[in-house]
Amino acid sequence: MAGRILRADILRVAIELLDRGGLPALVMRRIAAELDVQQSALYWHFRNKQELLAALADQIIDAVAAPTSTGWPSRLEELCGNLRAELLEHKDGADLVATAFAFRLGAGEAIRRFEGELDRAGLSTQEAQTAASVLLHYVLGYTTNEQQHRQAADLGALDPQSMPHDRTPFGTEDFLRGVRLVVRGIGPAAADG
Amino acid sequence: MAGRILRADILRVAIELLDRGGLPALVMRRIAAELDVQQSALYWHFRNKQELLAALADQIIDAVAAPTSTGWPSRLEELCGNLRAELLEHKDGADLVATAFAFRLGAGEAIRRFEGELDRAGLSTQEAQTAASVLLHYVLGYTTNEQQHRQAADLGALDPQSMPHDRTPFGTEDFLRGVRLVVRGIGPAAADG
DNA sequence: ACCTGAACACCGTTCAAGT
DNA sequence: ACCTGAACACCGTTCAAGT
């Protein structure tokens, strides 16, 4: 009662478990059980769990929609918004990608997307790297907080002290204010798009 | 062969273990052993491990030196630098504080420090919150990456592809470029300090 | 109030052995 | 090449019982 499995099968099941129960549900034993396989079988396809998480992060990043606007400031805003939206699609998605990014394993593609947009803006390589770093850390950090807050509220763990009228400080508009602040800081060094 | 312990004892031992072995060494069993106490004794002083980590994060944040410069842009740069420096003092310090911040338990004091500086700059409350959020996420994210990279290099896990001449993109100067980028974005909305 | 003793319910990872 | 079976070495947390 077994069956051969593929890397892609593992990743598909992992995403399903993540979407359903977040990072706490993403355990090797459950992935294996879902595939009717021994847990040790997973270690033939991935060196360890961290590598699996990195592949998952890459997959999420690849699904981020490309910006369609013209003009680098709008394109940058759009890319940030699209990244946040994709992270929010998966439970604990921001936390997962932020962790993988910190471990320098996955999410390397994300920073290249940002740098690509900043090249178009006419920044030097160094300036583009700096701006990409600031933007990416903001999007990942903000969205991690936002998602954690949302999921805590969903579980009824609401702190009445910090949210008096159910108005949280989070949301698309609040998020975009941060993005625009950074874009303003880029402006002086960039050519007009 | 026991002894009564205090919250402060637990925190002191926890910091020692953190400094020596990072987050992987920060396990309840080792804290208890170091204090000659059963692990369950810790749960009288802290509801769970997460609460302990939050208290640890608060303690680290409280140790961040206050800026001494005059003029809000310099003061802001200095505060960011001091925060990074303090995080680097403890192994996995940035990761610990970033996680506690994401869980909204500790590190609430950190954002108040930033907002305080931005009030002096003459920003509105909303603008101050936005700028504080961007700066804090950048410092925590950047320093987490930097520290992870350092510690991986210390263990000899260096990737020769990504660091061809042992010149890493990390360092105080590189860090400050990001801070200055954000400060430039704040400028247009702030009064002169 | 504060701690012991002992258990519960989990984890990720390894490795000889099979096919 | 790809998986089984079984173990190893850990974790955080709970809870009756002691003092």
Side-chain angles (χ1 to χ4, degrees):
Chain A
M1 197 57 56
R4 46 199 49 208
I5 54 172
L6 303 170
R7 239 182 103 96
D9 295 323
I10 298 177
L11 291 174
R12 177 179 44 77
V13 167
I15 286 276
E16 287 171 11
L17 290 176
L18 182 73
D19 290 351
R20 209 173 303 143
L23 281 175
L26 204 58
V27 286
M28 303 301 269
R29 278 168 160 84
R30 288 198 56 183
I31 299 175
E34 214 84 13
L35 290 164
D36 258 308
V37 141
Q38 292 285 91
Q39 354 170 172
S40 49
L42 303 176
Y43 289 85
W44 195 89
H45 298 274
F46 293 95
R47 194 196 299 273
N48 49 39
K49 189 183 182 182
Q50 210 173 109
E51 210 177 64
L52 199 165
L53 294 180
L56 238 42
D58 279 335
Q59 198 169 286
I60 292 174
I61 294 297
D62 285 343
V64 173
T68 60
S69 315
T70 62
W72 67 267
S74 325
R75 289 183 63 85
L76 224 42
E77 271 188 44
E78 209 186 332
L79 180 56
C80 291
N82 291 350
L83 174 52
R84 166 172 171 269
E86 186 61 36
L87 296 176
L88 292 176
E89 283 290 310
H90 305 92
K91 201 168 293 185
D92 287 339
D95 195 358
L96 167 64
V97 172
T99 301
F101 178 60
F103 274 65
R104 304 248 118 211
L105 289 172
E109 182 60 24
I111 210 156
R112 256 168 270 139
R113 296 274 286 269
F114 279 96
E115 286 174 356
E117 291 299 329
L118 290 156
D119 269 343
R120 290 170 170 249
L123 297 191
S124 74
T125 304
Q126 189 182 71
E127 289 165 333
Q129 284 175 352
T130 301
S133 171
V134 171
L135 273 177
L136 191 51
H137 284 308
Y138 172 67
V139 177
L140 292 178
Y142 184 94
T143 311
T144 300
N145 279 17
E146 179 181 15
Q147 201 162 34
Q148 219 99 45
H149 189 91
R150 282 189 188 197
Q151 292 171 186
D154 285 354
L155 292 180
L158 53 159
D159 180 2
Q161 182 80 8
S162 73
M163 32 187 303
H165 302 92
D166 200 28
R167 290 199 66 258
T168 82
F170 294 113
T172 304
E173 269 317 304
D174 184 63
F175 168 74
L176 282 179
R177 271 194 290 273
V179 176
R180 294 198 195 101
L181 171 65
V182 179
V183 169
R184 270 205 308 275
I186 300 174
D192 27 314
Chain B
M1 196 56 57
R4 45 197 50 208
I5 55 173
L6 302 170
R7 238 182 104 97
D9 294 323
I10 298 178
L11 291 175
R12 177 178 44 77
V13 167
I15 286 276
E16 287 171 10
L17 290 176
L18 182 72
D19 290 351
R20 208 173 302 143
L23 282 175
L26 205 58
V27 286
M28 304 301 268
R29 279 168 161 83
R30 289 198 54 184
I31 300 174
E34 214 85 13
L35 290 166
D36 259 308
V37 141
Q38 293 286 89
Q39 355 170 173
S40 50
L42 303 176
Y43 288 85
W44 195 91
H45 298 274
F46 294 94
R47 194 195 298 274
N48 50 39
K49 189 183 182 181
Q50 209 173 111
E51 211 177 64
L52 199 164
L53 293 180
L56 238 43
D58 278 334
Q59 198 168 285
I60 292 174
I61 293 296
D62 285 343
V64 173
T68 62
S69 316
T70 60
W72 67 267
S74 324
R75 289 183 63 85
L76 223 42
E77 272 188 43
E78 210 187 333
L79 181 56
C80 290
N82 291 350
L83 174 53
R84 167 172 170 270
E86 185 63 35
L87 296 176
L88 292 176
E89 284 290 310
H90 304 92
K91 199 167 294 184
D92 286 341
D95 195 356
L96 167 64
V97 172
T99 302
F101 179 59
F103 274 66
R104 303 249 119 210
L105 288 171
E109 182 59 24
I111 211 156
R112 257 168 270 138
R113 296 275 285 271
F114 278 95
E115 287 175 356
E117 291 300 329
L118 290 156
D119 270 343
R120 290 169 170 248
L123 298 191
S124 73
T125 304
Q126 189 182 71
E127 289 164 334
Q129 284 175 353
T130 301
S133 171
V134 171
L135 272 177
L136 191 52
H137 284 309
Y138 172 66
V139 177
L140 291 179
Y142 183 95
T143 311
T144 300
N145 279 15
E146 180 182 14
Q147 201 162 35
Q148 219 101 43
H149 190 91
R150 282 189 188 199
Q151 292 170 186
D154 285 353
L155 292 181
L158 52 159
D159 180 1
Q161 182 81 8
S162 72
M163 31 187 304
H165 302 92
D166 200 27
R167 289 199 65 258
T168 82
F170 294 113
T172 304
E173 268 317 304
D174 183 64
F175 168 74
L176 282 179
R177 270 195 289 275
V179 175
R180 294 199 194 99
L181 172 64
V182 180
V183 169
R184 271 206 306 275
I186 299 174
D192 26 315

